[in-house]
Amino acid sequence: AYPGREPQFLKANQTLGKKLYSILNDDFHRAAFERLVGMTDKAKSKMMRRVLNAVRAVPRHLYAPSFYGELNVPFHIYTDTPQGIGYGQTISQPSLVCFVLALLGLKNTDKVLEIGTGRGWSASLLSKLASHVYTTEIIQPLHMQAKQTIQKMGIANITTIQANQNVLGYPEKAPYDAIVVWAGSYKEEVDPALAAQLSEKGRLIIP
């Protein structure tokens, strides 16, 4: 593992780097994220342990913008801060994501709607906790990038949707056991059109 620094030496030999990248990068990812997870690993609830196991299984840097380069993973991707992904959007900071996903209290049989795919990292985490995830993104380039990354990761229980500006949520597959809305603006009341997409005991979180 390479705690606290990038595996820069791989750049010296691109052929070697490409052959070894998947192995070395896994070590780098685990070492970096174990420190990050340690910041939030105080919670001992069964749900939080499931969430943290999902975080450990989904490499955050693979959802970062491609301009970082395949062999140039910046260490700040593994800090507890939001990360810019272009178009004025961010990947939410891991501690917030962990907190929200734990609050959802998901079961393996649950169907989830996520509004705001971004680059697909949180949807990929949700896929480890639920039966199926429907995730919508209104920014077309982000939708395409997330779709490609999720396919590359081989995750089969996520459906990515290009959001319609005139439709809230994804009524076609309602009802949902849980709905999470990222970067949602605060309102005193939940939009009835969104609430109507919840199952009888469904949970909705808008952080």
Side-chain angles (χ1 to χ4, degrees):
Y2 303 91
R5 65 182 190 275
E6 304 165 13
Q8 295 283 0
F9 75 92
L10 292 181
K11 291 183 177 181
N13 187 325
Q14 292 297 314
T15 301
L16 174 65
K18 288 178 180 178
K19 288 181 179 178
L20 298 182
Y21 177 69
S22 61
I23 299 172
L24 295 179
N25 193 66
D26 282 348
D27 288 340
F28 174 68
H29 158 250
R30 280 194 292 269
F33 235 138
E34 284 303 320
R35 285 193 299 280
L36 176 56
V37 168
M39 299 176 191
T40 53
D41 211 1
K42 305 300 182 184
K44 298 302 179 182
S45 71
K46 181 178 179 180
M47 190 64 233
M48 182 58 85
R49 286 197 297 271
R50 288 186 65 212
V51 170
L52 293 175
N53 285 336
V55 169
R56 290 185 175 103
V58 180
R60 193 178 188 221
H61 65 271
L62 297 183
Y63 297 81
S66 59
F67 59 73
Y68 287 133
E70 185 184 34
L71 300 179
N72 187 26
V73 180
F75 186 67
H76 67 75
I77 290 296
Y78 290 107
T79 58
D80 191 27
T81 57
Q83 301 296 332
I85 56 174
Y87 309 96
Q89 305 300 306
T90 63
I91 302 177
S92 297
Q93 66 193 75
S95 60
L96 173 63
V97 174
C98 287
F99 179 68
V100 169
L101 298 193
L103 282 180
L104 285 174
L106 297 173
K107 301 189 295 291
N108 291 332
T109 55
D110 282 347
K111 180 170 62 174
V112 180
L113 173 64
E114 177 189 55
I115 299 177
T117 311
R119 297 273 306 198
W121 184 61
S122 55
S124 296
L125 297 179
L126 285 165
S127 76
K128 304 291 185 184
L129 305 170
S131 174
H132 201 92
V133 179
Y134 294 88
T135 179
T136 70
E137 176 56 57
I138 199 166
I139 300 173
Q140 197 269 343
L142 288 180
H143 162 70
M144 293 305 299
Q145 291 162 5
K147 183 175 182 178
Q148 290 168 5
T149 301
I150 289 167
Q151 288 176 344
K152 184 177 179 180
M153 293 287 288
I155 302 173
N157 64 331
I158 297 178
T159 300
T160 56
I161 301 122
Q162 173 69 61
N164 184 331
Q165 209 164 21
N166 299 316
V167 178
L168 183 60
Y170 192 57
E172 289 90 332
K173 294 296 181 178
Y176 300 98
D177 300 295
I179 299 175
V180 58
V181 184
W182 298 112
S185 57
Y186 175 78
K187 294 180 180 179
E188 290 289 341
E189 296 182 358
V190 175
D191 192 307
L194 188 59
Q197 296 175 48
L198 282 169
S199 64
E200 184 178 349
K201 295 183 179 181
R203 293 86 67 200
L204 169 64
I205 296 183
I206 307 177

